């Protein structure tokens, strides 16, 4: 059993938890994820690690309540326990001094961008971060992202905070202003349409772009094939080959179709849960 040490509510649907998981904290690297199960009968859900503290033996997760399991998770409080918390899973982010890197975090995707941006900055990169959300209420960690970025840009879709627009608008403006040859890498994490849109922008400029995919998962160890995606015409498993891939090679249309496979069942489970 894994104890929830802290809980913070960023908005009615976005919550942060600090989990006591010393063995995961000891080994995890930026870009990796965990699979948790709230109770014996529960669904397994993958969540990318948002932060870790090796000395305290803790892992920070940030999640958005979108279905039955994340809503149940959101009802737990500090002092409660989670049944399973398996990790670290997946391949860590590739960190080196690339030069100038743009890190884009959309919605709850801001959380997994944070440790990667921090590692990239520590490696000597000039880190330009762009974070965005639909509205001000859904934006979090502006202060933390500012700490690990050389420059930070903030957008909201509805203009309720800082700049109105999408992260892709800012991404394009920065590339145009600095010159495509002065941007060495883009990292984009967020909803699938956002990552796809970022890749569409950077493809025109020929800037390598890494995305972190959120696929359906069961075992998280490469055994079930549930998380398969097509990257560069080849079948890859998000849980072991990823979660990060070259975004220009990802078949996003297929990923979206596969992600919707159990939508009706998910909706029914959610309705049963809320009724
Ligand atoms: Fe089963 Fe990736 S989740 S192979």
């Amino acid at each position: 059993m894994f104890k929830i040490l802290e809980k913070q509510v960023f908005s009615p649907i976005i919550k942060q938890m600090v989990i006591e998981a010393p063995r995961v904290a000891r080994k995890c690297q930026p870009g990796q994820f965990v699979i948790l199960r709230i109770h014996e009968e529960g669904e397994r859900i993958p969540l990318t690690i948002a932060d870790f503290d090796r000395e305290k033996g803790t892992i920070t997760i940030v999640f958005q309540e979108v279905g039955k399991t994340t809503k149940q998770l959101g009802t737990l409080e500090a002092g409660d326990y989670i049944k399973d918390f398996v990790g670290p899973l997946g391949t860590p982010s590739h960190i080196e001094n690339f030069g100038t890197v743009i890190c884009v975090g959309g919605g709850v995707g801001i959380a997994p961008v944070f440790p990667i941006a921090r590692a990239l900055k520590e490696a000597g990169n000039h880190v330009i971060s762009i974070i965005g959300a639909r509205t001000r209420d859904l934006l979090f960690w502006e202060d933390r992202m500012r700490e690990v970025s050389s420059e930070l840009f903030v957008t909201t879709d509805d203009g309720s905070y800082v700049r109105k627009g999408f992260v892709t608008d800012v991404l394009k403006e920065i590339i145009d202003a600095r010159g495509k040859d002065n941007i060495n890498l883009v990292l984009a994490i967020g909803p699938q349409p956002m990552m796809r849109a970022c890749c569409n922008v950077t493809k025109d400029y020929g800037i390598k772009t890494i995305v972190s995919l959120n696929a359906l998962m069961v075992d998280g160890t490469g055994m079930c094939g549930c998380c398969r995606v097509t990257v560069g015409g080849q079948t890859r498993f998000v849980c072991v080959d990823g979660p990060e891939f070259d975004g220009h090679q990802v078949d996003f249309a297929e990923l979206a179709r596969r992600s919707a496979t159990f939508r009706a069942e998910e909706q029914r489970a959610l309705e049963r849960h809320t009724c």
Side-chain angles (χ1 to χ4, degrees):
M1 299 288 274
F2 296 83
K3 190 174 187 181
I4 301 167
L5 298 177
E6 293 171 31
K7 177 184 178 186
Q8 205 172 336
V9 177
F10 293 142
S11 80
I13 56 166
I14 297 184
K15 292 167 184 172
Q16 169 184 306
M17 286 178 178
V18 177
I19 312 289
E20 186 175 46
R23 286 203 289 196
V24 182
R26 202 180 310 143
K27 288 194 171 168
C28 73
Q29 302 288 339
Q32 292 187 293
F33 66 96
V34 295
I35 289 185
L36 65 81
R37 202 166 52 135
I38 299 172
H39 55 78
E40 195 72 53
E41 308 285 306
E43 172 195 24
R44 295 152 173 256
I45 55 165
L47 287 173
T48 312
I49 292 168
D51 200 4
F52 51 88
D53 186 320
R54 297 198 203 288
E55 283 183 13
K56 291 183 184 161
T58 59
I59 297 289
T60 301
I61 54 171
V62 178
F63 58 94
Q64 182 166 348
E65 296 180 6
V66 289
K68 178 189 168 191
T69 301
T70 44
K71 279 193 187 299
Q72 281 182 323
L73 182 60
T75 64
L76 300 181
E77 299 293 341
D80 290 338
Y81 288 84
I82 291 170
K83 170 73 177 155
D84 293 330
F85 196 80
V86 179
L89 299 169
T91 305
S93 304
H94 176 69
I95 304 293
E96 64 171 66
N97 190 348
F98 297 99
T100 297
V101 181
I102 302 179
C103 293
V104 189
V108 80
I110 295 167
V113 164
F114 170 77
I116 304 172
R118 179 173 60 192
L120 287 167
K121 184 124 182 289
E122 285 171 0
N125 291 282
H126 183 82
V127 176
I128 303 171
S129 295
I130 308 167
I131 58 171
R134 287 204 311 275
T135 70
R136 179 182 193 147
D137 292 351
L138 300 177
L139 196 72
F140 61 94
W141 280 16
E142 180 185 352
D143 50 345
R144 299 194 78 185
M145 284 302 299
R146 198 176 297 283
E147 277 173 26
V148 300
S149 306
S150 312
E151 301 174 61
L152 179 72
F153 296 83
V154 180
T155 65
T156 46
D157 296 3
D158 65 354
S160 52
Y161 185 59
V162 192
R163 176 191 160 138
K164 182 178 184 346
F166 301 115
V167 289
T168 43
D169 302 333
V170 181
L171 175 62
K172 190 168 187 321
E173 280 177 19
I174 293 172
I175 298 170
D176 285 338
R178 315 280 166 109
K180 66 181 176 62
D181 296 333
N182 295 316
I183 307 296
N184 304 99
L185 183 73
V186 171
L187 167 84
I189 307 181
Q192 287 174 16
M194 183 222 94
M195 293 192 285
R196 189 178 191 174
C198 286
C199 291
N200 287 340
V201 169
T202 55
K203 200 166 192 172
D204 291 342
Y205 296 99
I207 302 171
K208 183 168 179 173
T209 300
I210 301 296
V211 293
S212 179
L213 300 183
N214 45 347
L216 294 172
M217 285 193 194
V218 178
D219 65 307
T221 58
M223 302 290 283
C224 70
C226 181
C227 65
R228 64 187 181 276
V229 288
T230 303
V231 181
Q234 296 192 321
T235 298
R236 309 290 300 277
F237 289 172
V238 172
C239 67
V240 288
D241 300 321
E244 293 180 7
F245 294 99
D246 179 343
H248 296 160
Q249 303 291 320
V250 171
D251 184 339
F252 278 104
E254 180 198 61
L255 177 64
R257 277 197 305 277
R258 286 187 55 76
S259 298
T261 306
F262 300 109
R263 194 143 292 162
E265 287 83 354
E266 287 165 357
Q267 188 57 35
R268 276 200 296 277
L270 181 59
E271 283 165 6
R272 275 202 302 272
H273 173 66
T274 48
C275 282

